[in-house]
Amino acid sequence: MITLSASSEKALKKLYIKTYGCQMNVYDSERMADILKPHGYELTDNPDASDMIIMNTCHIREKATEKVYCELGRYKPIKKLREEDGKPFILAVAGCVGQAEGGEIVKRAPYVDIVLGPQSYHQLPEMIERAKRAFHARQENAHDQKKLKELKKDPIVYADFPVESKFDHLPQVSDNKRFSAFLTIQEGCDKFCTFCCVPYTRGAEYSRPVFDILEEAKRYIEAGAQEITLLGQNVNAYHGTSPTGSGEWGLAALCLELANLDGLKRIRYTTSHPKDMDEALIQAHGACEKLMPFLHLPVQSGSDRVLKLMNRKHTVSFYEDIIHRLRDANPDIGFSSDFIVGFPGETDKDFEQTIGLVERVSYGQAYSFSYSPRLGTPAAALEDQIPEAVKKERLYRLQSLLFAQQLAYNKSFIGRTIPVLFERYGKKPGQFLGKSPYMQSVHVLSNDDILGKIRWVSITDAFETSLQGEIIAEQCFLGG
Ligand code: SAH
Ligand code: SF4
Ligand code: F3S
């Protein structure tokens, strides 16, 4: 029997959320589920059995946007079937495509009920009420074509940047029962790299107050989180109001404060910009055991000329200097990065410089992409666009090198004993999957239920994307 929560007077409805893009969208999806819970919505992983679908979308590359329209076409018949039964079915497009495309989505896919940007999700309940009213109005006027046309003229699109922060409207309880939780501390970007749509989809930089972050972290820890990943499009640009309200704290101070929380074993943060990697944060990597020794620090290109065209606000040597200082602070630290190949005007020489940088730094992991022009960004209007075939060839070469480095990095762990936080069951009986401090997936076999536990593991084999090992001690250690 299904029991309703005390706060809900309505029948239980099923909510399906499909999440694309970065971890900030994962966090946002969880918050949207939290917001809708008191309104009677319970999560399901079956879109066919749902009463509402939210697509939480990503706009970073053209392919990501096209995927959204493809997927919307898949949901259209589900909505039609449900509505033929006389029940309202709500299809919502949230996230960065919602923000960037706004009303265009309803023009291209008129069966979409709600479009909302990432800063508006706290207004979802009000949007749902409007969508339900619109559904009933359509039902009542089913035979009046003129009236139906009239009704379509008022789509539910919330893609402004509201004055008040969505964070002020988050429910104070969360169902987040992850052993490794995401916590958004900063949102938006003022950097305006010329290839990137994020400053337009996520808006200006905003940092949450330290107090609110600590309270949210405590709730996650109480619910079982051992690890917290602090999120932000420019997370190391964080400058939130201090707990006393008298000044601002940077990311290093926040991490050190979080490290004082009992029960929290591991802290990570992503994504960082090289320009905001200050001395305090670099030193924290040497001083704070709970701060994990693995950093995602995107560089995009190894050519100063291209970095300038990209408006990255740093040079190659500035970036390498940070890598050296971080390695001095903690010789054990590993790195990942993002790369774009085929940025407009990128020559063979520029590309070779990227290869050179990768060889010098040596990454444990990395993401690399072909440049994808985004409408409205300055780089999309540059004349010297690179042919697809050249981009493909360069991407192949870069990825071959990065994969080889990743494999070598993982193999260097064979014979080492490292602490692993186990988060999931594996496919085989008795198999558990976890994360090393260096963001590698580690799998082991165990007779005990080690979910949510940190165990010391001796690494016996290594592959491109995972490590294999054996648990060597049953005690729980700190994750550093
Ligand atoms: N805030 C982060 C990353 C944001 S987007 C940073 O400053 O690095 C994640 C990655 O997507 C970027 O690092 C970049 O490598 C890639 N990306 C962004 N826009 C792109 C585009 N137009 N074409 C190809 N890759 C892009
Ligand atoms: Fe995009 Fe650059 Fe901002 Fe990162 S720093 S989100 S790449 S504009
Ligand atoms: Fe994509 Fe928006 Fe994140 S464009 S990468 S979902 S900030």
Side-chain angles (χ1 to χ4, degrees):
M1 199 183 82
I2 300 167
T3 46
L4 292 178
S5 72
S7 55
S8 171
E9 293 150 13
K10 296 165 193 166
L12 217 47
K13 294 172 286 270
K14 299 281 185 201
L15 168 66
Y16 176 75
I17 308 184
K18 175 103 181 180
T19 309
Y20 298 88
C22 61
Q23 287 138 329
M24 306 209 41
N25 265 9
V26 176
Y27 177 87
D28 283 355
S29 290
E30 285 172 2
R31 297 295 75 74
M32 284 193 269
D34 286 346
I35 283 167
L36 293 183
K37 206 173 173 204
H39 296 269
Y41 284 92
E42 185 185 65
L43 281 176
T44 173
D45 49 17
N46 179 8
D48 294 301
S50 65
D51 301 283
M52 174 168 185
I53 294 178
I54 301 177
M55 293 185 66
N56 196 5
T57 60
C58 174
H59 193 250
I60 203 79
R61 284 170 292 276
E62 198 178 2
K63 262 193 193 152
T65 311
E66 280 314 307
K67 246 193 214 164
V68 174
Y69 285 105
C70 256
E71 191 81 7
L72 276 174
R74 232 172 61 75
Y75 299 143
K76 187 180 171 185
I78 305 178
K79 180 178 165 77
K80 192 163 173 265
L81 265 177
R82 285 312 200 75
E83 296 203 338
E84 278 169 4
D85 280 350
K87 291 191 191 116
F89 180 95
I90 297 168
L91 185 52
V93 178
C96 292
V97 176
Q99 185 68 47
E101 303 263 296
E104 276 306 305
I105 296 176
V106 192
K107 276 192 199 141
R108 204 166 146 183
Y111 48 91
V112 168
D113 300 284
I114 294 172
V115 177
L116 71 156
Q119 308 309 327
S120 308
Y121 63 67
H122 57 290
Q123 289 163 295
L124 256 173
E126 140 193 347
M127 296 178 214
I128 290 174
E129 281 315 307
R130 274 185 66 190
K132 281 184 186 160
R133 280 202 301 273
F135 166 75
H136 291 301
R138 283 200 304 273
Q139 295 277 93
E140 280 159 25
N141 296 287
H143 302 295
D144 184 344
Q145 289 306 320
K146 203 172 144 219
K147 186 84 194 184
L148 281 177
K149 230 177 177 179
E150 209 43 40
L151 287 168
K152 277 207 176 132
K153 280 190 189 148
D154 188 21
I156 305 168
V157 178
Y158 285 53
D160 296 332
F161 292 107
V163 193
E164 86 275 31
S165 158
K166 66 179 175 188
F167 294 106
D168 296 339
H169 298 267
L170 287 179
Q172 288 307 299
V173 285
S174 168
D175 266 357
N176 195 328
K177 295 219 169 47
R178 288 166 173 268
F179 303 118
S180 173
F182 291 142
L183 202 173
T184 295
I185 64 165
Q186 178 279 338
E187 193 155 8
C189 179
D190 295 339
K191 298 274 191 310
F192 290 93
C193 300
T194 54
F195 53 81
C196 184
C197 64
V198 169
Y200 312 96
T201 61
R202 293 275 172 169
E205 227 179 82
Y206 167 80
S207 295
R208 295 177 66 193
V210 173
F211 179 82
D212 294 3
I213 295 167
L214 293 174
E215 289 303 299
E216 196 171 326
K218 284 179 200 161
R219 288 203 302 275
Y220 294 157
I221 296 164
E222 231 163 76
Q226 308 266 310
E227 174 177 281
I228 290 182
T229 303
L230 306 174
L231 299 179
Q233 268 92 23
N234 266 276
V235 75
N236 58 342
Y238 176 81
H239 55 94
T241 309
S242 73
T244 57
S246 60
E248 284 183 344
W249 282 17
L251 184 59
L254 179 67
C255 288
L256 295 174
E257 187 69 19
L258 281 165
N260 289 330
L261 295 179
D262 281 342
L264 182 61
K265 309 275 172 54
R266 297 175 159 199
I267 302 167
R268 301 182 190 274
Y269 59 89
T270 197
T271 298
S272 298
H273 191 286
K275 198 171 166 279
D276 295 313
M277 219 50 227
D278 64 16
E279 185 59 25
L281 193 52
I282 293 174
Q283 290 313 320
H285 276 277
C288 180
E289 261 202 14
K290 291 187 182 179
L291 201 51
M292 289 294 96
F294 195 81
L295 184 63
H296 181 60
L297 193 61
V299 64
Q300 315 297 353
S301 168
S303 151
D304 280 342
R305 208 181 65 81
V306 173
L307 287 178
K308 199 158 189 219
L309 287 171
M310 288 177 164
N311 190 31
R312 282 293 289 182
K313 306 180 203 306
H314 63 81
T315 59
V316 177
S317 66
F318 181 89
Y319 174 83
E320 284 193 84
D321 183 53
I322 290 168
I323 299 275
H324 292 144
R325 282 157 60 206
L326 280 160
R327 281 187 167 141
D328 284 346
N330 182 356
D332 192 35
I333 197 166
F335 293 99
S336 75
S337 185
D338 289 343
F339 295 91
I340 295 178
V341 300
F343 183 83
E346 185 189 67
T347 62
D348 284 341
K349 190 176 157 218
D350 293 320
F351 176 67
E352 289 310 324
Q353 288 177 341
T354 299
I355 295 286
L357 173 69
V358 172
E359 280 167 348
R360 291 194 301 279
V361 173
S362 192
Y363 291 94
Q365 200 183 302
Y367 304 90
S368 44
F369 313 100
S370 262
Y371 169 69
S372 169
R374 306 311 285 132
L375 205 67
T377 60
L382 291 175
E383 270 179 8
D384 202 0
Q385 299 289 327
I386 306 296
E388 282 307 317
V390 176
K391 287 189 202 171
K392 220 171 152 185
E393 205 185 298
R394 287 181 186 165
L395 189 62
Y396 180 78
R397 245 193 87 198
L398 177 62
Q399 289 187 339
S400 305
L401 175 60
L402 289 168
F403 285 149
Q405 287 191 347
Q406 186 167 332
L407 183 62
Y409 183 71
N410 287 348
K411 290 232 182 256
S412 74
F413 282 81
I414 297 176
R416 271 183 75 175
T417 300
I418 52 174
V420 177
L421 169 58
F422 289 95
E423 295 170 47
R424 284 188 293 132
Y425 295 112
K427 283 197 185 117
K428 295 182 197 156
Q431 193 184 45
F432 291 84
L433 300 181
K435 279 265 148 56
S436 78
Y438 317 89
M439 281 303 276
Q440 297 135 312
S441 285
V442 183
H443 49 98
V444 300
L445 292 174
S446 170
N447 293 327
D448 299 326
D449 190 352
I450 51 171
L451 222 53
K453 306 273 191 319
I454 292 175
R455 291 285 182 264
W456 284 85
V457 173
S458 164
I459 302 302
T460 52
D461 210 350
F463 315 96
E464 211 163 67
T465 55
S466 66
L467 305 178
Q468 183 180 306
E470 285 163 9
I471 294 174
I472 60 148
E474 289 303 304
Q475 303 107 294
C476 189
F477 289 81
L478 278 188

